[in-house]
């Protein structure tokens, strides 16, 4: 548009004079939202409003605007349209000098600059401001004069989690997430409180330099980063640009994972870290009510404040956060509860209508938490609702608290002890982090509590009553011995690898009595390397078969131990005694489900025929368990996960008839000792390990050998050893070891 010559005039109403806008007639269609007013050599940018009382060809200014621009009533000015570059001229931070407009209205009441900032941004949203500009603000029925001191532009790099460069600008556009800082003028008597009176407060809804460790969170930095970049980028950037892109705010996040992985802690800190209304935290079961319609009413109450504010302020409404703990309690699959009253179904319907219904709310963020995402209604998980689904998974190598993560978590939980000098000087957090492999955050916290209890127990008097020894209690110190004692006796990892699971199987070590044993161990190493390195075979399975007591389970345990996989479990029939067929299938399936959650896993399926309840009399076996094992042995792990399965059996012929051998990638035979040289190696190995000696006369030895030779070849070795035992030449413990 070419420049127009217009006459300066008064602002037509007091209400319009408080908008910081110039006013023109509604028929001035050539003029756009923002204009440049030229007074001589000087240029001033104004935002326009329309009013029918303005005459055609005139432009109205308030008194502060006329003073700032040096305009007089009736003066001719040149007016041209102005368009903001919203990638460079959106205001990040604006500093305002504030004072009472009239001396008679001075009072000593404190004014909260945080609330003042919120109202200012809502009232002047999408308005033009310039450094040096004067304006009037109405707040709490008081009029304040304001002077724009300086402005900083919003930097798009904040979307990448970086801090803005803070470039100074002379002319800027105030947007919904701009930050206004209020400072007293030198002679001002106004009393200010709140963060917005200093430069510590930033415009971002997320603090890019937030310290998670100080907030009590360790080992979850990646999860926080992923959530922020996915869920809050649209709320950080100017809303006008988001609207031009056709983007929409994410309105829901689902955090899921096993107990103790930090879901509730993460949701709580998200609420604290965002510049939003106080989060509403509700447990899922609290929503339910026995009276008809009350459960749905409880859902509506949670969204009432956000609904009211959106009606009043529209796009300028603040963010309302609603956190549902155990959301699966109220959002089960609709129609899944036979014979129910349908309360769960109507609660789900009510929640869906509030998040993404016909009159949807754009100023909400719903955070749901559960360890059973499979129970939640599918409609709630589609895009537009709880669309950001984050697995807080303590199994994965890249999500299991690694050594650095464990150091962070232990530092958090021991911070107060260090502060009050109650932590012993011999406690090495780095050492504890190394020793607590596969511990979740909750288990690390439990370890610290257990160590504290152990330390306090030393200062309790042993008498008829429980009393604290006050003489020594003042010298209380939680030392390394307390942590190590708790680590060995009290706290064990619920997930990942528990060394006690397989240590009992190899307590006597592996006796390499021949090349066959060495070959089995070498083959085991190759299978481990294949599982780790091959992308074509994410599932590797091997069956160790051989006669009873040939050491199959010990070899399987040794291979799994040397793999150093983060998840190792032994599926053994001795842990399922008394289980029904269904319960046994569920227990086996849970072991495999847990294994799928680790990047590298090893599952030892021990004594398969016992798991199947096989007995040769009949014969009898559990077809339900057989079918479950056949499916699980062939099922490939999820993408990005690798699984090694080691099975053991003494009845290869039975598994062949059951068509289970084909489920394994390969089969390795584990033989018995069948020769004198092998026996001597086994005895020599046992002698070296035990440090014991034995002797037998040659005549007696020949007699024992001849007796053993008379037996069936399959039983000669066992008969030979039993005869030696009867002679008392070797202790019974030696034979158990062999």
């Amino acid at each position: 548009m070419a420049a127009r010559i217009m006459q300066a005039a008064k602002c037509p109403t007091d209400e319009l004079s408080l908008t910081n806008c110039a006013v023109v007639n509604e028929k001035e269609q050539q003029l756009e939202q923002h204009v440049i007013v030229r007074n001589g050599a000087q240029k001033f940018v104004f935002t326009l409003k329309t009013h029918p009382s303005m005459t055609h060809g005139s432009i109205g200014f308030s008194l502060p605007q006329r003073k700032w621009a040096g305009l007089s009533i009736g003066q001719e000015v040149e007016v041209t349209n102005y368009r903001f570059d919203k990638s460079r001229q959106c205001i990040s931070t604006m500093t305002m000098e504030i004072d009472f407009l009239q001396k008679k209205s001075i009072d000593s009441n404190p004014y909260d600059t945080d609330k003042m900032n919120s109202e200012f941004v809502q009232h002047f949203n999408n308005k033009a401001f310039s450094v040096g500009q004067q304006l009037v603000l109405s707040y709490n029925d008081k009029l304040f004069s304001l002077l724009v001191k300086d402005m900083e532009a919003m930097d798009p790099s904040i979307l990448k989690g970086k801090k803005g460069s803070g470039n100074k600008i002379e002319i800027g556009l105030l947007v919904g997430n701009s930050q206004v800082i209020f400072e007293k003028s030198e002679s001002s008597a106004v009393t200010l409180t709140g963060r917005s009176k200093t430069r510590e407060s930033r415009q971002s809804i997320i603090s890019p330099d937030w310290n998670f460790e100080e907030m009590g969170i360790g080992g979850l930095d990646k999860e926080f980063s992923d959530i922020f970049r996915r869920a809050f980028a649209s709320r950080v950037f100017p809303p006008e640009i988001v609207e031009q892109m056709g983007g929409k705010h994410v309105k829901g996040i689902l955090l899921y994972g096993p107990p103790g992985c930090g879901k509730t802690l993460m949701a709580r800190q998200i609420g604290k870290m965002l510049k939003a209304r106080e989060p509403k935290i509700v447990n899922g079961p609290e929503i339910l009510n026995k009276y008809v319609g009350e459960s749905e009413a409880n859902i509506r109450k949670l969204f009432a404040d956000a609904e009211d504010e959106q009606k009043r302020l529209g796009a300028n409404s603040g963010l309302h956060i609603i956190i549902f703990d155990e959301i699966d309690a109220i959002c089960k699959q609709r129609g899944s509860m036979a014979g129910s009253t349908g309360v769960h179904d109507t609660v789900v319907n009510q929640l869906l209508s509030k998040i993404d219904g016909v009159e949807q709310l754009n100023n909400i963020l719903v955070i749901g938490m559960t360890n059973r995402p499979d129970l939640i209604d599918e409609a709630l998980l589609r895009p537009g609702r709880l669309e950001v689904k984050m697995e807080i998974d303590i199994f994965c190598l890249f999500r299991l608290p690694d050594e650095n993560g464990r150091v962070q978590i232990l530092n958090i939980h021991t911070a107060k002890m260090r502060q009050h000098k109650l932590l012993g000087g011999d406690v090495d957090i780095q050492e504890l982090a190394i020793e607590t492999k596969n511990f979740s955050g909750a288990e690390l916290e439990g370890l610290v509590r257990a160590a504290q209890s152990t330390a306090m127990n030393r200062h309790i008097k042993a008498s008829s009553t429980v009393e604290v020894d006050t003489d020594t209690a003042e010298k209380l110190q939680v030392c390394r011995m307390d942590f190590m004692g708790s680590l060995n006796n009290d706290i064990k990892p619920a997930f990942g690898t528990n060394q006690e699971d397989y240590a009992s199987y190899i307590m006597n070590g592996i006796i390499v009595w021949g090349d066959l044993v060495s070959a089995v161990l070498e083959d085991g190493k190759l299978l481990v390397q294949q599982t780790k390195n091959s992308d074509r075979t994410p599932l590797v399975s091997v069956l160790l078969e051989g006669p009873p007591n040939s050491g199959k389970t010990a070899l399987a345990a040794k291979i799994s131990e040397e793999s150093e996989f983060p998840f190792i479990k032994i599926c053994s029939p001795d842990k399922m005694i008394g289980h029904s067929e269904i319960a046994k299938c569920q227990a086996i399936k849970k072991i495999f489900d847990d294994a799928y959650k680790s990047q590298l896993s090893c599952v030892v399926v021990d004594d398969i025929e016992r798991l199947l309840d096989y007995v040769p009399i009949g014969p009898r076996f559990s077809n339900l368990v057989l079918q479950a094992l056949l499916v699980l042995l062939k099922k490939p792990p999820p993408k990005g996960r690798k699984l090694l399965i080691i099975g053991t059996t003494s009845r290869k012929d039975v598994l062949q008839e059951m068509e289970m051998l084909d489920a394994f990638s390969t089969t390795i035979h584990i033989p018995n000792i069948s020769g004198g040289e092998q026996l001597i190696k086994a005895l020599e190995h046992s002698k070296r390990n035990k440090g014991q000696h034995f002797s037998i006369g040659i005549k007696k030895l020949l007699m024992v050998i001849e007796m053993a030779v008379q037996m069936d070849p399959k039983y000669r070795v066992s008969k030979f050893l039993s005869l030696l035992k009867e002679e008392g030449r070797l202790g019974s413990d030696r034979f158990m070891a062999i």
Side-chain angles (χ1 to χ4, degrees):
M1 184 196 81
R4 284 194 58 192
I5 304 300
M6 303 183 74
Q7 282 192 340
K10 287 185 178 180
C11 187
T13 67
D14 291 340
E15 183 180 354
L16 285 173
S17 67
L18 296 175
T19 63
N20 194 40
C21 294
V23 186
V24 297
N25 188 275
E26 53 194 7
K27 295 181 181 180
E28 302 283 357
Q29 298 180 356
Q30 291 181 330
L31 298 177
E32 297 180 357
Q33 185 178 8
H34 309 290
V35 296
I36 293 179
V37 176
R38 185 187 296 272
N39 182 12
Q42 294 181 307
K43 297 179 182 179
F44 304 92
V45 177
F46 292 94
T47 302
L48 292 183
K49 277 187 174 295
T50 60
H51 195 271
S53 66
M54 292 298 299
T55 59
H56 183 70
S58 63
I59 180 169
F61 300 96
S62 65
L63 178 60
Q65 289 173 327
R66 296 199 303 272
K67 285 184 177 180
W68 168 54
L71 299 173
S72 58
I73 296 174
Q75 178 181 344
E76 290 187 347
V77 292
E78 184 180 288
V79 180
T80 55
N81 287 329
Y82 181 82
R83 292 185 180 179
F84 280 95
D85 181 352
K86 292 186 178 179
S87 64
R88 298 181 179 181
Q89 289 184 286
C90 287
I91 297 173
S92 163
T93 306
M94 180 166 64
T95 305
M96 309 282 288
E97 192 175 88
I98 186 171
D99 195 1
F100 291 107
L101 181 64
Q102 300 173 331
K103 299 300 181 183
K104 63 180 181 180
S105 61
I106 292 176
D107 60 34
S108 58
N109 296 329
Y111 291 91
D112 189 337
T113 54
D114 296 323
K115 293 181 180 179
M116 191 180 291
N117 165 69
S118 178
E119 287 200 17
F120 186 95
V121 172
Q122 291 172 7
H123 185 67
F124 294 105
N125 186 47
N126 211 32
K127 302 294 190 301
F129 286 88
S130 303
V131 174
Q133 181 178 353
Q134 301 174 27
L135 64 150
V136 177
L137 171 68
S138 176
Y139 178 74
N140 282 4
D141 298 327
K142 294 278 188 180
L143 294 178
F144 296 88
S145 64
L146 301 177
L147 175 65
V148 180
K149 298 290 288 183
D150 63 42
M151 294 185 295
E152 293 179 3
M154 192 174 291
D155 191 335
S157 64
I158 196 169
L159 283 175
K160 302 177 182 178
K162 300 177 182 178
K163 206 163 185 175
S165 58
N167 294 327
K168 299 286 186 180
I169 52 175
E170 293 295 318
I171 300 171
L173 185 69
L174 193 77
V175 293
N177 50 359
S178 299
Q179 177 68 38
V180 181
I181 299 171
F182 294 95
E183 296 180 347
K184 292 169 52 176
S185 61
E186 293 182 3
S187 59
S188 175
V190 66
T191 303
L192 301 178
T193 62
R195 292 178 302 170
S196 296
K197 62 185 177 61
T198 67
R199 287 190 173 273
E200 296 173 1
S201 186
R202 305 297 300 173
Q203 104 284 350
S204 174
I205 194 169
I206 306 163
S207 297
D209 53 352
W210 189 267
N211 188 324
F212 302 123
E213 188 170 339
E214 288 182 1
M215 290 303 298
I217 300 174
L220 291 175
D221 303 59
K222 182 184 182 300
E223 281 75 5
F224 267 103
S225 178
D226 290 344
I227 289 175
F228 290 159
R229 305 302 171 257
R230 176 70 180 86
F232 301 119
S234 63
R235 298 185 186 276
V236 173
F237 218 60
E240 291 80 7
I241 296 181
V242 175
E243 185 177 349
Q244 291 171 6
M245 294 172 62
K248 292 183 179 179
H249 296 315
V250 168
K251 292 185 285 185
I253 301 172
L254 179 68
L255 305 178
Y256 65 95
C261 63
K263 300 184 298 296
T264 305
L265 179 62
M266 181 176 285
R268 191 183 304 129
Q269 299 307 328
I270 287 174
K272 290 182 180 179
M273 294 166 62
L274 300 178
K275 294 176 182 177
R277 304 292 184 271
E278 186 70 22
K280 294 181 180 179
I281 304 176
V282 60
N283 292 320
E286 293 177 0
I287 294 293
L288 302 178
N289 193 298
K290 65 180 180 179
Y291 296 107
V292 176
E294 285 299 313
S295 300
E296 298 90 318
N298 289 337
I299 292 288
R300 289 194 293 272
K301 289 176 185 175
L302 290 173
F303 292 88
D305 292 341
E307 201 168 7
D308 178 65
E309 187 169 319
Q310 180 165 294
K311 288 179 180 177
R312 290 188 295 106
L313 303 175
N316 296 330
S317 172
L319 179 63
H320 293 253
I321 300 174
I322 302 170
I323 300 174
F324 287 95
D325 201 1
E326 305 297 342
I327 193 173
D328 55 282
I330 61 171
C331 292
K332 288 184 171 63
Q333 292 279 353
R334 286 172 288 183
S336 63
M337 302 181 67
S340 70
T341 59
V343 171
H344 286 85
D345 293 359
T346 55
V347 169
V348 174
N349 294 337
Q350 184 69 76
L351 188 59
L352 291 174
S353 67
K354 288 298 180 185
I355 298 176
D356 191 32
V358 176
E359 296 182 359
Q360 57 182 327
L361 300 173
N362 294 317
N363 60 343
I364 58 169
L365 177 65
V366 176
I367 303 176
M369 294 171 290
T370 181
N371 53 14
R372 292 297 305 276
D374 53 302
L375 296 181
I376 298 176
D377 191 273
E378 292 179 359
L380 196 64
L381 302 179
R382 75 157 178 79
R385 291 153 186 180
L386 302 185
E387 62 179 279
V388 177
K389 293 172 278 291
M390 176 65 66
E391 182 179 9
I392 312 302
D393 190 350
I394 61 176
F395 296 101
C396 298
L397 276 179
F398 49 85
R399 286 176 181 164
L400 179 73
D402 57 10
E403 189 174 317
N404 291 331
R406 294 194 295 274
V407 168
Q408 289 182 22
I409 295 169
L410 288 168
N411 279 329
I412 288 166
H413 294 301
T414 57
K416 284 194 174 181
M417 288 192 288
R418 283 196 302 273
Q419 180 183 348
H420 297 285
K421 298 181 179 179
L422 296 176
L423 189 66
D426 59 346
V427 176
D428 185 353
I429 297 296
Q430 191 71 40
E431 178 191 13
L432 291 176
I434 295 172
E435 294 292 330
T436 51
K437 183 181 178 182
N438 295 312
F439 273 57
S440 69
E443 287 161 347
L444 290 170
E445 183 181 4
L447 174 64
V448 174
R449 285 200 302 266
Q452 292 169 343
S453 300
T454 304
M456 289 186 284
N457 191 58
R458 292 199 301 268
H459 300 279
I460 296 178
K461 293 180 180 179
S463 60
S464 57
T465 59
V466 178
E467 296 180 2
V468 177
D469 188 348
T470 54
D471 296 333
T472 62
E474 295 180 356
K475 301 177 183 179
L476 174 68
Q477 287 272 301
V478 182
C479 57
R480 179 181 181 275
M481 176 181 65
D482 300 319
F483 281 98
M484 291 304 173
S486 300
L487 189 60
N488 295 328
N489 303 318
D490 299 328
I491 308 296
K492 300 296 178 185
F495 308 104
T497 303
N498 187 352
Q499 192 172 1
E500 290 182 356
D501 283 348
Y502 55 81
S504 60
Y505 295 105
I506 50 177
M507 58 186 299
N508 294 317
I510 299 297
I511 298 176
V512 184
W513 48 260
D515 293 339
L516 291 173
V517 179
S518 300
V520 172
L521 293 174
E522 286 300 319
D523 288 345
K525 290 180 181 178
L526 287 175
L527 292 169
V528 168
Q529 291 302 317
Q530 179 183 351
T531 307
K532 284 182 178 178
N533 302 327
S534 175
D535 294 328
R536 295 185 176 183
T537 54
L539 174 63
V540 177
S541 57
V542 58
L543 178 66
L544 305 183
E545 60 85 16
N549 303 314
S550 57
K552 301 181 293 298
T553 305
L555 287 169
K558 184 65 175 177
I559 293 170
S560 63
E561 179 192 34
E562 291 185 346
S563 72
E564 297 184 348
F565 284 1
F567 182 95
I568 300 173
K569 285 291 182 184
I570 295 182
C571 178
S572 177
D574 61 0
K575 297 177 182 177
M576 302 183 191
I577 296 174
H579 280 34
S580 66
E581 286 185 302
I582 295 177
K584 189 177 290 188
C585 289
Q586 290 174 340
I588 296 171
K589 184 177 183 298
K590 184 179 187 305
I591 291 175
F592 277 83
D593 285 343
D594 289 349
Y596 295 147
K597 295 176 181 177
S598 176
Q599 192 178 31
L600 285 171
S601 305
C602 179
V603 174
V604 177
V605 185
D606 188 33
D607 212 352
I608 294 176
E609 63 271 19
R610 293 283 75 78
L611 283 173
L612 296 174
D613 295 332
Y614 170 80
V615 289
I617 302 172
R620 181 195 177 279
F621 67 93
S622 169
N623 187 56
L624 197 62
V625 178
L626 172 62
Q627 298 303 322
L629 279 174
L630 286 173
V631 171
L632 293 171
L633 289 173
K634 295 180 180 179
K635 180 183 177 182
K639 185 179 180 181
R641 317 292 167 90
K642 297 182 178 182
L643 175 61
L644 171 64
I645 302 173
I646 306 176
T648 70
T649 183
S650 301
R651 296 301 302 267
K652 177 183 177 183
D653 56 326
V654 173
L655 299 193
Q656 177 72 54
E657 293 182 13
M658 294 178 179
E659 299 182 350
M660 186 176 278
L661 287 185
D662 295 336
F664 290 93
S665 307
T666 184
T667 302
I668 299 176
H669 178 67
I670 311 297
N672 273 337
I673 294 176
S674 57
E677 185 179 347
Q678 295 172 348
L679 176 62
I680 291 171
K681 283 187 177 181
L683 291 173
E684 287 178 348
H685 188 281
S686 179
K687 178 181 176 181
R688 286 195 303 270
N689 287 346
K690 296 290 185 179
Q692 298 178 3
H693 301 276
F694 64 92
S695 62
I696 186 172
I698 184 62
K699 184 178 179 179
K700 177 63 68 174
L701 178 60
L702 291 174
M703 185 269 293
V704 170
I705 292 173
E706 286 300 319
M707 290 179 63
V709 168
Q710 308 309 312
M711 299 291 294
D712 186 283
K714 293 191 295 184
Y715 305 111
R716 284 176 182 172
V717 174
S718 59
K719 183 62 177 178
F720 173 74
L721 293 176
S722 65
L723 289 171
L724 284 179
K725 180 179 179 182
E726 291 170 4
E727 291 296 324
R729 304 307 180 184
L730 294 175
S732 59
D733 59 334
R734 180 175 302 281
F735 285 90
M736 294 295 289
I738 296 174

Coordinates of all heavy atoms in Angstrom, one line a residue, residues 91 93-95 129-131 148-153 166-173:
I91 N 8.8 -11.2 20.5 CA 9.4 -10.8 21.7 C 9.6 -12.0 22.6 O 8.7 -12.7 23.0 CB 8.6 -9.7 22.5 CG1 8.5 -8.4 21.6 CG2 9.3 -9.4 23.8 CD1 7.6 -7.4 22.2
T93 N 11.8 -11.5 25.7 CA 11.8 -10.8 27.0 C 11.7 -9.3 26.7 O 12.4 -8.8 25.9 CB 13.0 -11.2 27.8 OG1 13.2 -12.6 27.8 CG2 13.0 -10.6 29.2
M94 N 10.8 -8.7 27.5 CA 10.6 -7.2 27.4 C 10.7 -6.7 28.8 O 10.0 -7.1 29.7 CB 9.3 -6.9 26.7 CG 9.1 -5.4 26.6 SD 7.7 -5.0 25.5 CE 6.3 -5.7 26.3
T95 N 11.6 -5.7 29.0 CA 11.8 -5.1 30.3 C 11.0 -3.8 30.3 O 11.1 -2.9 29.4 CB 13.2 -4.8 30.6 OG1 14.0 -6.1 30.5 CG2 13.4 -4.3 32.0
F129 N 5.2 -3.3 20.0 CA 5.9 -2.5 21.0 C 7.2 -2.0 20.5 O 7.9 -2.7 19.6 CB 6.1 -3.3 22.3 CG 4.9 -3.5 23.1 CD1 4.0 -4.6 22.8 CD2 4.5 -2.7 24.1 CE1 2.9 -4.8 23.5 CE2 3.3 -2.9 24.8 CZ 2.5 -4.0 24.5
S130 N 7.7 -0.9 21.0 CA 9.0 -0.3 20.6 C 9.7 0.2 21.8 O 9.1 0.6 22.8 CB 8.8 0.9 19.6 OG 8.0 0.5 18.5
V131 N 11.0 0.1 21.7 CA 11.9 0.6 22.9 C 11.6 2.1 23.0 O 11.7 2.8 22.0 CB 13.3 0.2 22.6 CG1 14.2 0.9 23.7 CG2 13.6 -1.3 22.6
V148 N 8.9 1.1 28.0 CA 9.6 0.0 27.5 C 11.1 0.3 27.5 O 11.6 1.2 26.8 CB 9.2 -0.4 26.0 CG1 9.9 -1.6 25.5 CG2 7.7 -0.6 26.0
K149 N 11.9 -0.5 28.3 CA 13.3 -0.2 28.4 C 14.1 -0.9 27.3 O 15.0 -0.3 26.7 CB 13.8 -0.6 29.8 CG 13.1 0.1 30.9 CD 13.6 1.6 31.0 CE 15.0 1.7 31.4 NZ 15.4 3.1 31.6
D150 N 13.9 -2.2 27.2 CA 14.6 -3.0 26.1 C 13.8 -4.3 25.8 O 12.9 -4.7 26.6 CB 16.1 -3.3 26.4 CG 16.2 -4.2 27.6 OD1 15.4 -5.2 27.8 OD2 17.1 -4.0 28.5
M151 N 14.2 -4.9 24.7 CA 13.5 -6.1 24.2 C 14.5 -7.1 23.6 O 15.5 -6.6 23.0 CB 12.4 -5.8 23.2 CG 11.2 -5.0 23.7 SD 9.9 -4.7 22.5 CE 10.8 -3.8 21.2
E152 N 14.2 -8.4 23.8 CA 15.0 -9.4 23.2 C 14.2 -10.3 22.3 O 13.0 -10.6 22.7 CB 15.7 -10.3 24.3 CG 16.8 -9.5 25.1 CD 17.4 -10.4 26.1 OE1 17.0 -11.6 26.2 OE2 18.2 -9.9 26.9
A153 N 14.7 -10.7 21.2 CA 13.9 -11.5 20.2 C 13.9 -13.0 20.6 O 14.9 -13.5 21.2 CB 14.5 -11.4 18.8
G166 N 19.2 -14.3 22.5 CA 18.8 -13.0 23.1 C 19.2 -11.8 22.4 O 19.8 -10.8 22.9
N167 N 19.0 -11.8 21.0 CA 19.3 -10.6 20.2 C 18.4 -9.4 20.6 O 17.2 -9.6 20.7 CB 19.2 -10.9 18.7 CG 20.2 -12.0 18.3 OD1 21.3 -12.0 18.8 ND2 19.8 -12.8 17.4
K168 N 19.0 -8.2 20.7 CA 18.3 -7.0 21.0 C 17.5 -6.6 19.8 O 18.0 -6.7 18.7 CB 19.2 -5.9 21.5 CG 20.0 -6.2 22.7 CD 19.2 -6.2 24.0 CE 20.0 -6.4 25.2 NZ 19.2 -6.4 26.5
I169 N 16.3 -6.1 20.0 CA 15.5 -5.6 18.9 C 14.9 -4.2 19.4 O 14.7 -4.0 20.6 CB 14.4 -6.5 18.5 CG1 13.5 -7.0 19.7 CG2 14.9 -7.7 17.7 CD1 12.4 -7.9 19.3
E170 N 14.6 -3.4 18.4 CA 13.9 -2.1 18.7 C 12.4 -2.1 18.6 O 11.7 -1.4 19.3 CB 14.5 -1.0 17.8 CG 16.0 -0.7 18.0 CD 16.2 -0.1 19.3 OE1 15.4 0.8 19.8 OE2 17.2 -0.5 20.0
I171 N 11.9 -3.0 17.7 CA 10.5 -3.1 17.5 C 10.2 -4.6 17.5 O 10.9 -5.4 16.9 CB 10.1 -2.6 16.1 CG1 10.4 -1.1 16.0 CG2 8.6 -2.8 15.8 CD1 10.2 -0.5 14.6
G172 N 9.1 -5.0 18.3 CA 8.8 -6.4 18.4 C 7.3 -6.6 18.6 O 6.5 -5.7 18.8
L173 N 6.9 -7.9 18.4 CA 5.5 -8.3 18.6 C 5.4 -9.2 19.8 O 6.1 -10.2 19.9 CB 5.1 -9.1 17.3 CG 3.6 -9.5 17.2 CD1 2.7 -8.2 17.0 CD2 3.4 -10.4 16.1

